[in-house]
Amino acid sequence: MMEKSQLVNDMLRLLGPEKVISSQLERYTYTYDSSFLSQLNEFYPDVVVCPMNTEEVQKIMRYAYKHDIPVTPRGAGSGQTGGSVPVKGGIVLDLSGWTDIVEIDESNMQVVVRPGIVHADLNVALSPYGLFFPPDPGSSKMATIGGMVGNNASGLRAVKFGNTGQYVLGLEVVLPDGEVIKTGGLHSRALKSVSGINLTSLYVGSEGTLGVITQVRLKILPKPPCRGILLTMFSSLDDAAATVLEVFKNGIVPSGIEILDDSGIKAANKFQPDLKLPEAEAALFFEINGSKAAVDFEGQQVKEIAEKRASSVEWATDAQRMAKLWQGRAVIGAASARVKVGATRIFCGEDVCFPMAKVPEALRRIKEIGAKHNTLVVIYGHIGDGNMHTAPIIDPLKAEEVEAAHGVADDIHQLALELGGSTTGEHGVGFTRSRYMVAEHGKALEIMKIIKDAIDPKGIMNPGKIWAEE
């Protein structure tokens, strides 16, 4: 690695002072993301650069490739796995300012964007056309499209609309050596193609380890005109899970099915007392969207199914009442951070995914894990696809609580593998989950590394992520 001063001077020469960040204080803000592990360390970049076009990204990558300098692409830094943290130093490539919408192609149901545009801002721009980009992360007002593609994000409405990768039609990628490729066809505006090996899918979820995504072509859909919310309370986790399964068996696919366990219900009520959610072992939130006729019909069907097992059921299509019913789910992120005086919610072991049939067992055993480590764990998530979010609550200034949190996270990840699930459903691997990849993937992880080495033979792209041996 060359001297940092030389690197900074060369970046200034290539890009100009307005696109280079080199002070220690400013670089400190790039040493962490939302992940607890990154906040326990200080992974300083040597320099941060803020390119605003493909040619500038090419200049940076050619330079980095020539001098063997690590490059870490970064969007909003809202990730929870350390994926955008420069664990090997080098260059952080901040793409969050590159927010252009290149084209809204209404007639072909697609949009072309640069990687820094925020999810919510994209949907605001699409709304006048009656269109939307369906994946809906809880961090919609922060998450960038580039970051969503890099991690194959999904969120609250994945049960009906799927994950980000299902909407990515093509990408512009700057390779580690500075060359540019376009996946999905050089000039294509088709909504599907099976021409050649699917390189688009290779890059979706690759977490910046194979190149820098500089442009994204996305499929978009008509915005559903109506929606309804059903809030149901259950005295048994098993009854909640059985209700979800029966809804599916009746041919109904809600746009969202969310769960709070009793710890989540208590956290929401403590955070916002006027919610007055009844005490229960589980709360389910169903969202139905579509035409008014479809929403009314499916909403009534789900209500009748839920009434077989639930202790209380309420269905609403009025906007004000829907907002009130949905508040219990909407506040849980903030609520979990304030459930215990003098403590906060941390992000570790926060994104496990279980087979749907195993969700009740998983939730009970997560409670046991918390008790084993004397750590409060709030649980909520997307029960419609088995993706659970766990929120350990600790005082990060107390060493014994930090140590206990590491034990909680490890046990939760191991539980996911034991029950036939995954260590991550939507947040990605980064460096926080790399230790579990061999157990989860076996020989397939070696094949992933062969692909990585073929595309990035010098290993400069986001090193230290996915593969624990780096």
Side-chain angles (χ1 to χ4, degrees):
M1 179 81 68
M2 66 168 57
E3 289 293 325
K4 184 177 72 176
S5 59
Q6 181 65 51
L7 173 59
V8 171
N9 288 334
D10 288 347
M11 290 299 106
L12 288 168
R13 177 179 53 81
L14 285 176
L15 302 171
E18 70 282 359
K19 295 179 180 177
V20 178
I21 296 171
S22 59
S23 76
Q24 182 172 355
L25 179 60
E26 288 179 293
R27 285 185 294 116
Y28 175 73
T29 63
Y30 293 86
T31 64
Y32 58 88
D33 61 4
S34 294
S35 65
F36 186 52
L37 283 182
S38 72
Q39 294 166 15
L40 293 176
N41 296 277
E42 289 188 357
F43 297 113
Y44 271 92
D46 294 306
V47 67
V48 178
V49 294
C50 307
M52 294 294 288
N53 57 61
T54 302
E55 291 72 23
E56 288 178 342
V57 176
Q58 285 185 275
K59 289 179 183 178
I60 296 162
M61 293 313 305
R62 286 172 183 147
Y63 180 94
Y65 193 78
K66 178 180 178 181
H67 298 285
D68 297 329
I69 298 171
V71 176
T72 303
R74 185 179 175 101
S78 60
Q80 296 168 6
T81 70
S84 64
V85 174
V87 297
K88 304 291 185 181
I91 299 169
V92 162
L93 208 159
D94 183 350
L95 300 165
S96 63
W98 198 3
T99 60
D100 307 29
I101 297 177
V102 178
E103 181 183 2
I104 296 175
D105 188 351
E106 179 186 8
S107 59
N108 287 313
M109 302 291 286
Q110 53 197 270
V111 62
V112 181
V113 301
R114 295 300 184 178
I117 188 166
V118 170
H119 174 269
D121 294 341
L122 173 59
N123 274 329
V124 167
L126 292 174
S127 187
Y129 299 86
L131 300 168
F132 81 127
F133 174 55
D136 186 17
S139 55
S140 174
K141 293 183 179 180
M142 296 182 287
T144 64
I145 294 300
M148 290 180 66
V149 172
N151 289 285
N152 198 13
S154 48
L156 301 172
R157 295 179 175 87
V159 62
K160 179 175 182 177
F161 293 109
N163 56 35
T164 297
Q166 293 170 239
Y167 297 87
V168 181
L169 300 172
L171 299 168
E172 178 184 85
V173 181
V174 178
L175 298 175
D177 63 1
E179 292 297 309
V180 177
I181 63 168
K182 283 195 173 183
T183 72
L186 288 173
H187 309 292
S188 177
R189 286 300 168 96
L191 286 173
K192 64 178 184 178
S193 170
V194 292
S195 174
I197 294 172
N198 192 340
L199 293 181
T200 301
S201 292
L202 178 65
Y203 276 91
V204 173
S206 63
E207 303 190 26
T209 63
L210 302 178
V212 182
I213 294 171
T214 52
Q215 185 167 281
V216 185
R217 181 166 63 96
L218 296 168
K219 178 173 68 174
I220 49 182
L221 297 181
K223 190 175 182 179
C226 298
R227 68 192 280 259
I229 299 294
L230 185 77
L231 171 60
T232 61
M233 310 300 295
F234 294 87
S235 59
S236 162
L237 282 169
D238 295 285
D239 284 344
T243 296
V244 173
L245 183 59
E246 186 173 346
V247 167
F248 286 145
K249 285 184 174 179
N250 277 269
I252 305 166
V253 183
S255 49
I257 313 176
E258 297 293 295
I259 189 171
L260 303 183
D261 80 336
D262 59 348
S263 66
I265 294 168
K266 290 173 185 175
N269 281 332
K270 187 171 183 178
F271 178 74
Q272 196 165 320
D274 64 339
L275 282 175
K276 297 179 180 177
L277 293 175
E279 288 189 12
E281 193 166 64
L284 288 184
F285 302 79
F286 291 88
E287 182 191 70
I288 312 289
N289 67 14
S291 68
K292 184 180 186 307
V295 168
D296 290 343
F297 178 70
E298 290 188 359
Q300 184 60 34
Q301 281 188 300
V302 175
K303 182 174 182 289
E304 291 174 2
I305 291 168
E307 286 172 338
K308 296 177 184 179
R309 302 177 182 87
S311 57
S312 68
V313 176
E314 183 176 353
W315 166 251
T317 54
D318 171 74
Q320 188 172 353
R321 189 58 190 161
M322 282 194 296
K324 182 70 174 177
L325 293 181
W326 192 254
Q327 269 188 314
R329 175 60 181 90
V331 303
I332 190 59
S336 60
R338 298 190 188 181
V339 70
K340 182 180 174 184
V341 176
T344 190
R345 181 255 178 96
I346 60 169
F347 290 95
C348 63
E350 83 301 330
D351 184 48
V352 282
C353 198
F354 300 99
M356 284 184 56
K358 296 290 183 70
V359 167
E361 177 186 355
L363 297 188
R364 290 195 185 94
R365 290 183 62 182
I366 290 169
K367 289 177 182 293
E368 293 172 3
I369 288 168
K372 169 186 170 183
H373 295 280
N374 195 30
T375 300
L376 173 63
V377 181
V378 175
I379 310 171
Y380 61 97
H382 319 308
I383 192 174
D385 56 17
N387 191 182
M388 294 294 106
H389 297 316
T390 58
I393 313 298
I394 69 163
D395 181 348
L397 299 180
K398 293 182 177 178
E400 66 276 13
E401 294 191 23
V402 171
E403 184 178 356
H406 291 318
V408 168
D410 184 54
D411 285 355
I412 289 173
H413 286 126
Q414 299 291 357
L415 176 65
L417 296 176
E418 177 192 335
L419 295 183
S422 173
T423 56
T424 177
E426 58 189 11
H427 293 171
V429 178
F431 75 87
T432 66
R433 281 187 264 273
S434 59
R435 61 186 289 195
Y436 305 105
M437 291 301 98
V438 171
E440 183 160 353
H441 296 289
K443 181 73 174 180
L445 187 67
E446 297 177 26
I447 303 304
M448 295 181 207
K449 189 61 166 62
I450 290 170
I451 294 169
K452 157 78 167 169
D453 291 343
I455 296 173
D456 180 22
K458 292 191 172 186
I460 65 170
M461 288 305 313
N462 209 7
K465 316 298 167 58
I466 300 179
W467 295 274
E469 70 272 16
E470 287 191 346

